[in-house]
């Protein structure tokens, strides 16, 4: 498990760089080959370890990449967005494996369906589907107005606010120590923003 996690974290780091590069250069076949290799290795390693959700998602991503490699489809921004969503899912599931020694109850079905639709739909149809999904989600959020949030998430936010306040104090000390008066305005803005953030989180 230790070896698996180490290798997978390394793969995810390389994959993140490759995805950013793909976004800049969608036609770069070398980058596409690299991402394909990362997905393939993650699929095989995860299947060996019994982490089926990670393996299934990597397999679906691999299928799309293979079609791109074979020049049967082009890389669009919508496809890249789905790859990034898949990457976020990998990170979340690997984090769970490292903390709980098992995959969390992560619902990968919507992602698998999206990746399958990339394979089966025409590019313009897939683009319309994604745009429709975004509009529907925005409308849903406007209708809902409020959502439930786990208390632990709020605790983490509050801890981050605390870190920001400590950093502000360090900046003030540095300003005084090195007589950097030109930082006054920036530190004042930082102070106002931190106070506002702290208030909103407390509310």
């Amino acid at each position: 498990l230790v070896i698996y996690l180490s290798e997978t974290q390394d793969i995810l780091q390389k994959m993140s760089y490759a995805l950013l590069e793909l976004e800049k250069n969608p036609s770069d076949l070398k980058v596409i080959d690299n991402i394909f290799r990362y997905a393939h290795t993650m699929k095989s390693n995860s299947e060996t370890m019994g982490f089926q959700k990670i393996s299934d998602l990597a397999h679906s991503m691999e299928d799309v990449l293979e079609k791109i490699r074979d020049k049967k489809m082009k890389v669009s921004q919508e496809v890249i967005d789905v790859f990034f969503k898949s990457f976020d899912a990998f990170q979340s599931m690997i984090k769970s494996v490292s903390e709980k020694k098992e995959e969390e109850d992560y619902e990968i079905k919507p992602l698998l369906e999206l990746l399958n639709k990339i394979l089966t739909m025409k590019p313009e149809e897939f683009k319309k589907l994604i745009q429709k999904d975004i509009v529907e989600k925005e409308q849903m959020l406007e209708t809902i107005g409020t959502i439930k949030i786990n208390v632990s998430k709020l605790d983490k936010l509050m801890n981050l606010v605390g870190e920001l306040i400590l950093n502000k104090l360090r900046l003030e000390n540095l300003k005084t120590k090195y007589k950097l008066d030109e930082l006054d305005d920036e530190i004042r803005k930082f102070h106002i923003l931190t106070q506002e953030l702290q208030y909103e989180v407390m509310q």
Side-chain angles (χ1 to χ4, degrees):
L1 181 63
V2 172
I3 294 168
Y4 167 78
L5 286 170
S6 175
E7 287 184 355
T8 306
Q9 292 288 6
D10 183 53
I11 288 169
L12 285 175
Q13 188 175 28
K14 289 175 180 174
M15 187 184 280
S16 69
Y17 293 140
L19 286 172
L20 289 169
E21 191 59 39
L22 184 66
E23 197 167 30
K24 292 180 198 170
N25 305 296
S27 59
D28 192 329
L29 287 176
K30 188 179 176 183
V31 175
I32 293 162
D33 281 339
N34 287 339
I35 300 171
F36 177 87
R37 243 185 15 259
Y38 303 146
H40 178 77
T41 305
M42 193 181 298
K43 177 195 75 174
S44 303
N45 289 355
S46 300
E47 192 167 1
T48 301
M49 292 295 295
F51 300 131
Q52 201 56 50
K53 286 185 177 180
I54 299 171
S55 179
D56 288 347
L57 184 56
H59 192 178
S60 290
M61 191 172 172
E62 183 187 25
D63 286 343
V64 174
L65 286 159
E66 187 170 19
K67 193 171 181 180
I68 294 168
R69 285 173 79 201
D70 293 341
K71 297 181 180 179
K72 292 177 180 175
M73 65 176 288
K74 291 184 179 180
V75 179
S76 66
Q77 186 56 53
E78 289 75 27
V79 171
I80 292 172
D81 288 344
V82 176
F83 284 164
F84 273 113
K85 285 177 192 288
S86 301
F87 175 80
D88 290 341
F90 286 137
Q91 279 198 313
S92 182
M93 289 188 283
I94 292 298
K95 185 171 183 281
S96 176
V97 169
S98 66
E99 291 173 354
K100 305 173 188 175
K101 309 295 185 287
E102 61 182 20
E103 293 173 295
E104 65 177 7
D105 187 21
Y106 194 95
E107 183 52 71
I108 63 166
K109 190 178 176 183
L111 267 176
L112 294 177
E113 287 176 352
L114 274 177
L115 288 163
N116 185 55
K117 280 170 182 171
I118 292 173
L119 290 169
T120 56
M121 296 177 84
K122 291 180 181 177
E124 58 272 18
E125 290 175 333
F126 185 73
K127 187 174 181 178
K128 285 178 185 176
L129 177 77
I130 294 293
Q131 288 170 344
K132 182 172 177 283
D133 185 53
I134 290 169
V135 170
E136 285 176 353
K137 281 180 180 173
E138 286 174 350
Q139 289 173 343
M140 183 182 72
L141 287 172
E142 286 174 8
T143 306
I144 293 171
T146 58
I147 56 169
K148 290 182 180 179
I149 300 175
N150 192 303
V151 174
S152 65
K153 298 281 185 188
L154 292 175
D155 286 340
K156 189 173 181 181
L157 275 176
M158 202 64 223
N159 289 335
L160 289 171
V161 171
E163 289 293 326
L164 281 173
I165 292 168
L166 287 173
N167 278 325
K168 179 185 74 71
L169 294 172
R170 290 190 194 106
L171 281 174
E172 286 177 343
N173 289 335
L174 286 171
K175 184 204 74 159
T176 306
K177 183 178 177 180
Y178 295 104
K179 298 178 181 178
L180 301 170
D181 294 336
E182 62 268 26
L183 283 179
D184 276 345
D185 284 345
E186 294 306 317
I187 290 175
R188 195 176 300 112
K189 289 174 192 172
F190 191 18
H191 174 70
I192 292 167
L193 286 169
T194 324
Q195 274 195 323
E196 190 175 342
L197 181 60
Q198 185 180 29
Y199 173 78
E200 292 296 336
V201 174
M202 288 298 290
Q203 291 305 303

